[in-house]
Amino acid sequence: MNWRRLRPGEIDHELLWLAVSLCSLVGAWGWLYFAMPIPGCAFHRLTGLPCPTCGVTRCLRYTFHHDWWAAAGTNPLAFLGYGGVVLYDLYAATVLAFRLPRLRFDVIPARVGRIVRYSVIATILANWAWLVWMRV
């Protein structure tokens, strides 16, 4: 992990993912503002159980209305994910605005990669267990 300037020809991930997240935010806001239909969940229809992403739209709607407890209770992982996107966007906007060095992970040890992968899988499964238990 190090802080460095972009190399010639390197993808500007901060600009790219800031643009993607802001466009997604505008799209999601517009979708909810104009009350467009929300697609049904085939997994829920077939099994009667919530899928791992069940409640993400409601979580976003509660987040837009600043109802933090309801948002976190609807889908805790999505709520934390939205917070992570906000933090990343603040970082990206700061390094872009002030032309600062960027955080880069040039080499990640295989052991750390495995730990991260297994942790992500465990977190998704724990969130899914929460959704099934709460019957979101």
Side-chain angles (χ1 to χ4, degrees):
M1 177 175 89
N2 62 1
W3 293 87
R4 63 174 173 76
R5 303 252 178 233
L6 285 181
R7 295 180 180 139
E10 183 178 2
I11 295 173
D12 189 346
H13 288 282
E14 287 77 9
L15 179 61
L16 173 67
W17 295 112
L18 177 63
V20 167
S21 69
L22 292 178
C23 288
S24 298
L25 175 68
V26 169
W29 177 83
W31 192 282
L32 294 175
Y33 181 79
F34 293 112
M36 297 174 76
I38 297 170
C41 179
F43 183 85
H44 184 69
R45 273 192 306 253
L46 290 172
T47 65
L49 296 172
C51 70
T53 61
C54 209
V56 169
T57 305
R58 282 173 282 147
C59 179
L60 186 62
R61 185 176 289 137
Y62 288 134
T63 302
F64 281 154
H65 289 102
H66 305 275
D67 191 351
W68 313 117
W69 289 111
T74 303
N75 191 316
L77 187 57
F79 183 71
L80 292 174
Y82 296 148
V85 169
V86 168
L87 292 176
Y88 181 83
D89 285 354
L90 290 172
Y91 152 76
T94 302
V95 299
L96 289 168
F98 297 108
R99 298 178 185 219
L100 298 172
R102 281 75 180 304
L103 178 62
R104 292 292 183 261
F105 296 92
D106 293 327
V107 178
I108 298 175
R111 182 173 182 268
V112 172
R114 278 192 304 278
I115 290 170
V116 169
R117 280 191 296 277
Y118 294 143
S119 297
V120 167
I121 291 168
T123 302
I124 291 170
L125 290 174
N127 187 68
W128 193 10
W130 165 266
L131 296 174
V132 169
W133 182 58
M134 294 300 291
R135 290 290 178 169
V136 171

